Amino acid sequence: MVVRPKESATRRTIKNLRWWILGWALAAGIINYMDRSAISIAAPELIKDLGLSRTDIGLLGTVFSWTYAFAQLPAGWLVDKLGARRMYFLAIAGWSIATALMAIGGKMWHFVTFRFLLGVAEAPNGPASAKLTADWFPRAERGQATAIWDSGSKWGPAIAPPVLTAIMLTFGWQAIFIFLGVAGVVLALAFYMWYRSPEEHKRISQEELDYIESQRVSQSLSAKKVSWLGLFKHRQIWGMMAGFFCVIWIWNIFIVFLPLYLQEERGASIASSGWLAAVPYLGAAILGITGGWVMTRYSKKAGRDPLLAKRHVMSVAAIVAGILICLIPAVDSLPLAIVVMTVALGFVATMQAAAWAMPGDIVDNSQVASVGAIQNFGGYFGGAFAPLLTGVIADATGSYAPSFVIGGIIAALAAVAYTVLVRRPIQATAVENQESGSNA
């Protein structure tokens, strides 16, 4: 237990500070996903001005995803070693510069290079957010906390279409990348100046710090630390990688192609598609937070195991999302299609929140970022094929329907991966314990 100096009248504390701390992770997620969404907003102008094809746009999404996936592995390890504060600063500043560089692109290889840099720089965001959550929240609250910061991945794409489309139509497509780059650098500097861990934060009360510390002790009793390579010996890791692949596959299709889909198959104009594309993500943000609240209440009910609660919520969300995504092409009415997409993405958002909250349930707090990064690697390595395949199918058939059906089936399979393989915390084997002792 960490004991702080006696609180004085001159030092003001903030009640339930941990919930305010989430604001940093939420803001980072919003900027992060606005940067990712920018390519889909600029796509019509890139196709018109530079002669790019839908396959080229899909390839840019795939380049980002593969780079992002492989960069996850060192990123998670670095977050556990260096902490959330330093890695958040380096990551946000790095991806903001990579985004701003897109404004000077004129050839396909320019955009491929800058998307590669974006993937490397954005890799620490998820693991750092998971680390922040593990540092500041007890297990039972992590589902709700994770849903809040993960909602940035929905608020970002919701804000991006109307805002970035307006900027593009007024100042040109280059302006949206410059705007995002400047906003990200400002956030990086502010975060580094003001964020601290619970033990170092001047505004945390002793009562809240004691509460957080007591929960860390109870967590360390149920999950044991193993070596980084030793994690891959456990089926929980492979189950999380496979399950998150199912989640990210459909997510990548929406991130890269939603505005083009609305314009080309639903007849929306560029201006109107900016507002229409925002609706599903806005609904997903709200429904995702609701899913996190359900996980927290379900977990606290009758002392139910938090991991079991997350698995149950994940399974239901995966099946419902899969069915709804398959139905999107069959809906004739544009308003009804937007409703179906909104509810489907809401359940996908719940799946993402449950997945990011699980690392804290299966490993010691000191390895949460590493496991979250490995899971994210599995998701984005496999999910990287989704934008490219979608672009190829759209160019060949003129339709996005096959991609939605494939994506719906894959999304539903997440229920199988998490239910069958992620059933209990990871326990170090005798061999791993011996190796750990010999390395000490």
Side-chain angles (χ1 to χ4, degrees):
M1 181 181 295
V2 176
V3 179
R4 300 177 60 91
K6 185 175 181 180
E7 296 174 9
S8 64
T10 59
R11 191 179 74 82
R12 298 178 58 186
T13 61
I14 299 176
K15 186 177 181 181
N16 294 322
L17 178 63
R18 62 191 184 280
W19 295 103
W20 292 97
I21 288 294
L22 277 181
W24 291 114
L26 176 60
I30 291 173
I31 294 294
N32 184 292
Y33 273 83
M34 289 185 72
D35 289 354
R36 296 190 200 187
S37 301
I39 193 68
S40 67
I41 307 301
E45 295 300 309
L46 293 176
I47 291 173
K48 182 177 69 174
D49 290 355
L50 304 178
L52 301 186
S53 67
R54 298 176 189 84
T55 300
D56 290 331
I57 299 300
L59 178 60
L60 292 177
T62 294
V63 167
F64 167 82
S65 291
W66 272 336
T67 306
Y68 180 78
F70 281 103
Q72 287 294 307
L73 301 178
W77 182 83
L78 285 170
V79 170
D80 280 330
K81 291 296 181 181
L82 301 180
R85 180 172 178 247
R86 280 181 284 184
M87 285 307 298
Y88 254 137
F89 170 74
L90 293 173
I92 298 172
W95 84 54
S96 299
I97 293 171
T99 297
L101 287 173
M102 291 283 286
I104 66 173
K107 299 182 181 298
M108 183 62 181
W109 72 266
H110 295 161
F111 298 118
V112 168
T113 301
F114 300 147
R115 292 292 283 186
F116 173 90
L117 295 175
L118 183 69
V120 172
E122 286 200 353
N125 182 63
S129 297
K131 180 70 172 177
L132 179 151
T133 305
D135 287 344
W136 279 88
F137 289 87
R139 290 182 69 200
E141 293 179 350
R142 287 177 191 169
Q144 178 72 88
T146 301
I148 291 174
W149 68 253
D150 184 63
S151 71
S153 63
K154 291 80 188 173
W155 294 117
I159 296 170
V163 173
L164 299 186
T165 298
I167 292 174
M168 182 177 69
L169 293 177
T170 304
F171 302 105
W173 62 265
Q174 295 91 342
I176 66 178
F177 297 107
I178 296 173
F179 167 78
L180 291 172
V182 172
V185 169
V186 171
L187 176 64
L189 293 172
F191 178 85
Y192 191 79
M193 290 175 60
W194 298 106
Y195 177 80
R196 296 294 186 275
S197 65
E199 297 83 359
E200 298 174 343
H201 208 290
K202 296 180 180 180
R203 294 299 182 90
I204 191 171
S205 67
Q206 184 65 50
E207 179 184 6
E208 184 172 14
L209 183 61
D210 291 346
Y211 174 64
I212 294 170
E213 286 293 318
S214 67
Q215 295 298 316
R216 286 180 185 170
V217 172
S218 65
Q219 166 67 2
S220 67
L221 298 176
S222 62
K224 303 299 181 182
K225 184 175 181 179
V226 300
S227 67
W228 188 86
L229 288 176
L231 290 169
F232 291 92
K233 299 177 183 179
H234 298 273
R235 69 177 188 174
Q236 293 96 322
I237 297 299
W238 293 99
M240 294 172 73
M241 292 170 65
F244 211 52
F245 152 73
C246 298
V247 178
I248 297 302
W249 182 280
I250 188 61
W251 185 249
N252 274 351
I253 293 175
F254 277 94
I255 285 291
V256 177
F257 282 105
L258 181 55
L260 276 177
Y261 168 74
L262 292 173
Q263 293 164 28
E264 296 176 352
E265 287 208 7
R266 297 292 179 172
S269 66
I270 292 178
S272 64
S273 67
W275 291 99
L276 290 172
V279 174
Y281 293 111
L282 181 62
I286 297 171
L287 292 173
I289 292 174
T290 302
W293 177 82
V294 170
M295 277 187 285
T296 298
R297 292 296 299 270
Y298 187 50
S299 176
K300 289 183 175 181
K301 185 179 180 180
R304 184 174 283 106
D305 176 62
L307 178 58
L308 178 65
K310 294 178 182 69
R311 282 172 42 221
H312 286 175
V313 172
M314 169 68 78
S315 298
V316 173
I319 294 170
V320 176
I323 293 172
L324 291 174
I325 291 164
C326 288
L327 291 176
I328 291 172
V331 178
D332 293 330
S333 167
L334 175 57
L336 183 57
I338 293 294
V339 171
V340 174
M341 282 190 278
T342 300
V343 178
L345 276 182
F347 281 99
V348 172
T350 298
M351 294 165 68
Q352 290 176 320
W356 273 111
M358 283 186 189
D361 292 326
I362 70 166
V363 293
D364 180 80
N365 280 354
S366 63
Q367 292 186 296
V368 165
S370 293
V371 171
I374 292 170
Q375 174 179 244
N376 216 20
F377 162 75
Y380 277 89
F381 177 76
F385 290 96
L388 181 58
L389 181 62
T390 301
V392 170
I393 291 174
D395 278 335
T397 68
S399 174
Y400 293 89
S403 298
F404 280 120
V405 174
I406 294 170
I409 294 171
I410 291 174
L413 290 175
V416 178
Y418 283 103
T419 298
V420 174
L421 298 176
V422 190
R423 302 186 65 85
R424 59 183 62 88
I426 289 176
Q427 298 292 341
T429 65
V431 173
E432 289 168 340
N433 283 330
Q434 291 175 1
E435 291 176 350
S436 178
S438 64
N439 292 334

